[in-house]
Amino acid sequence: MLAEHTDEQLLELALNRNEEAFTALYRRRQGPVYRFALHMSGSPQVAEEVTQDVFVFLLQRGRDFDPQRGALGAYLFGVARNYVRRAMEKNYTDATTLTPAEDDDPVLVTEFDPMRDIARSQTSQAVWKAVLSLPEHYREVVVLCDLQEQTYADAAQALGCALGTVRSRLHRAHEMLARKLKNTAPMLAGFPGDAARCLS
């Protein structure tokens, strides 16, 4: 039954001490929050801590959420954004840096092709480094719009900025990434689609 509830309905139940509702909401939204923090920080350690902090915050301050201002998912990204910033200020990312997993590609591989696998690994590394090297406000829109596939409106809500700002930052971020990847990953000329698939 809870699976049919909206995020907002689950939150309301959770705030009224319904543990099953909170568990259902956590299972539904934990993955996206974790991936956002991971893509923003490049650190699994930071991503785990941020995810935990976001849901503790939700239990403590969930009544601050206003459904009239947007979706709960976008609200959670906004909360996660603040926790990622705090974690980055503590330099947690110096200890652990993310590398793309080898089994992220959903395409079924039927033949062993070491050259292809090496090329793919190098491309993924190049894309990760390029995204992580972007200034924070550009990295945020790439992670939200390209990797999390959020609408511009939801990204604007999460970032607390205007819709036009999201569009212009994303356009600028794509230009920066294209330059960064021009020599290291020329096969990704179709960014953001191809590059996003390397990071998904």
Side-chain angles (χ1 to χ4, degrees):
M1 291 292 293
L2 289 176
E4 299 176 359
H5 285 56
T6 66
D7 289 349
E8 291 72 22
Q9 290 170 332
L10 289 175
L11 176 60
E12 184 62 30
L13 290 170
L15 293 175
N16 287 307
R17 302 183 183 278
N18 185 320
E19 293 183 10
E20 291 183 358
F22 178 77
T23 299
L25 181 59
Y26 177 84
R27 288 177 177 169
R28 183 183 295 177
R29 289 295 167 187
Q30 176 268 344
V33 169
Y34 176 86
R35 288 190 295 274
F36 171 80
L38 188 63
H39 289 140
M40 284 300 300
S41 67
S43 168
Q45 177 186 346
V46 168
E48 290 172 6
E49 292 178 1
V50 165
T51 301
Q52 179 178 340
D53 289 342
V54 166
F55 285 93
V56 169
F57 176 93
L58 193 62
L59 279 178
Q60 296 174 342
R61 302 278 301 277
R63 296 199 183 281
D64 292 345
F65 167 68
D66 181 0
Q68 299 298 319
R69 299 181 63 183
L72 180 62
Y75 175 79
L76 292 178
F77 284 134
V79 175
R81 176 194 186 210
N82 291 330
Y83 279 112
V84 168
R85 283 182 169 178
R86 293 178 192 174
M88 299 287 279
E89 289 172 0
K90 294 178 182 178
N91 296 319
Y92 284 165
T93 53
D94 290 344
T96 309
T97 302
L98 174 70
T99 56
E102 292 299 326
D103 59 351
D104 281 348
D105 196 339
V107 177
L108 179 64
V109 177
T110 57
E111 295 183 13
F112 177 64
D113 185 345
M115 293 306 294
R116 182 206 58 220
D117 292 343
I118 291 171
R120 179 179 177 275
S121 176
Q122 291 175 340
T123 298
S124 296
Q125 291 282 358
V127 174
W128 274 113
K129 289 179 181 178
V131 171
L132 288 171
S133 71
L134 290 173
E136 182 183 42
H137 57 289
Y138 292 126
R139 188 165 71 253
E140 289 172 339
V141 292
V142 169
V143 170
L144 287 171
C145 297
D146 292 335
L147 305 183
Q148 296 290 337
E149 299 182 341
Q150 295 292 293
T151 65
Y152 291 156
D154 284 345
Q157 180 196 347
L159 300 175
C161 65
L163 193 69
T165 301
V166 171
R167 291 178 183 274
S168 62
R169 286 181 183 174
L170 190 61
H171 178 73
R172 176 63 176 150
H174 288 169
E175 290 180 338
M176 295 170 70
L177 284 170
R179 284 199 301 272
K180 291 174 181 291
L181 295 170
K182 183 176 181 180
N183 296 323
T184 56
M187 68 290 292
L188 294 179
F191 188 88
D194 294 338
R197 280 190 286 277
C198 288
L199 297 174
S200 60

